[in-house]
Amino acid sequence: MVFVQALFRRLNLSKTKENIVKNLFWSVLGKIVNLLSGLIVGIIIARYLGPEQYGLMNYVISYVFLFQTLAIFGLDAIEVREEARNQTPVHVIIGTAFSLKIIFGAIFMLLAILTSWIMDADGYTTLLIAIYSFSIVLNSFSVIRNYFMAIVENELVVKAEIARTLISIAIKIILLIFQASLTIFIIAYLFDFSLLASGYVMAYHTKGKKMREWKFSLKSSKYLLKESFPLMLTSAAVIIYQRIDQVMIGQMIDKTAVGFFSVASRFVEVLIYIPMMLAQTITPILVSTRQKSEADYIRKGQQFMNFSLWCSLLAAILTSLCAYWIVRFTFGTAYIPAVTVLQILAFKAASVALSNTAGAMLVTEGIQRYAILRDGFGCIVCVVLNYILLPRYGIIAAAFVAIASNVAAGYLADALIPAYRHLFSRQTKALLFGWKDILSLRTLLKSERI
């Protein structure tokens, strides 16, 4: 923080811009701690469990994640937008969003267990899914994190997340020492959500807020559901082309193949965080800027897209070139089949950047109701290509399909949807000329006071 404060003095930033940079700092710090520590512990657990059991664990996590995303019902983006607008009391928005998430969480938790029981003859897999599915309900406390994101002040929640990560590492190391079973590790991963929920509540109280002040509003719930429903449909499509790959690999090949694909995905998650973090941080800024000046909004949006895309692309190239050494000296020789997957899958980060930046803009502009069309297109591409190519080419095909699905949904579809063609134009401009802004993060914050 001493370095950051010195940076503020040197740049002579306004208070608002200082908060933005500080928010970026804490977002990056928290995610780096979470991803790197999670990666290190994941490596140790993967070596301990072996490809087959590690693959089963990731199959369970991916399966439940599909339902967890549906349970969010697209409320996160709408909650952040409405709290940034400050037109409805925050305690009403957050209280209503929390109540809706609890209800949907319980429903989709039961659906996760039921569908696994129907589809999977392996009772042990269903048991693990039943245990881990409770995380869907616990994820409802993310409304607190959304609140801090909306006010561009996430220091407290990031500290809570770092604390959760450190406690989680300690617990898993203890389990490794005592050679715990896979079931116990699944319970430990579920406990992570309890720790995180507790941390969010503590951060909210430290801010001087009280959960008992939250109020459910039927009128607000109807509005939030109406606004978020298109995003829920979009989420349903997104999870299919973003996460269904590991589930399909487990169903069509085997759990060991899931283990290899999961190893590559672990590293790609680190790369994907760059555009995701930028999109979450910049959305409230774009909302505020657009309310003041459409021209400034367009300019800042383009700079944001350029920087996000080209940072991700450069990181993907570096990761692809170093893939063998990355896998060999982390997960070990048992996971060498993951090298080729990582060399390909690394470029998913660039496709996600192209899609997420446009996604932040369509939410800002209030045209998210058409998002289901773009993501539905990606969903179709993902399922069809995986169904055709997985049996023949295995997890290598899944890596290529993951990128193709993102490009289809996040770029090509924008050219086909009239309301999104201006986004397609900006994305094309970013692909061709965005490299000019690669070293210009400051330009995103520079100009009039926002």
Side-chain angles (χ1 to χ4, degrees), residues 136-185:
I136 300 174
V137 176
L138 291 174
N139 194 50
S140 302
F141 287 89
S142 62
V143 294
I144 297 176
R145 192 183 202 286
N146 295 336
Y147 163 73
F148 282 98
M149 291 298 298
I151 62 175
V152 196
E153 187 179 330
N154 65 349
E155 177 180 345
L156 290 175
V157 293
V158 171
K159 287 181 177 178
E161 290 169 352
I162 292 176
R164 182 284 305 265
T165 299
L166 296 178
I167 295 173
S168 174
I169 291 173
I171 291 174
K172 291 180 177 65
I173 290 176
I174 292 173
L175 294 180
L176 287 167
I177 293 174
F178 286 94
Q179 298 184 335
S181 66
L182 176 59
T183 304
I184 300 300
F185 276 103

Side-chain angles (χ1 to χ4, degrees), residues 218-266:
L218 183 60
K219 179 180 178 181
S220 294
S221 68
K222 292 179 180 179
Y223 174 76
L224 290 177
L225 290 176
K226 178 183 177 181
E227 290 293 301
S228 64
F229 183 69
L231 292 180
M232 189 279 289
L233 296 177
T234 298
S235 297
V238 168
I239 59 174
I240 290 177
Y241 74 81
Q242 292 283 11
R243 287 284 187 148
I244 198 68
D245 43 19
Q246 294 189 36
V247 175
M248 292 185 72
I249 291 170
Q251 292 286 344
M252 300 178 70
I253 304 179
D254 54 44
K255 302 301 189 294
T256 302
V258 177
F260 296 139
F261 194 86
S262 298
V263 166
S265 298
R266 275 279 186 174

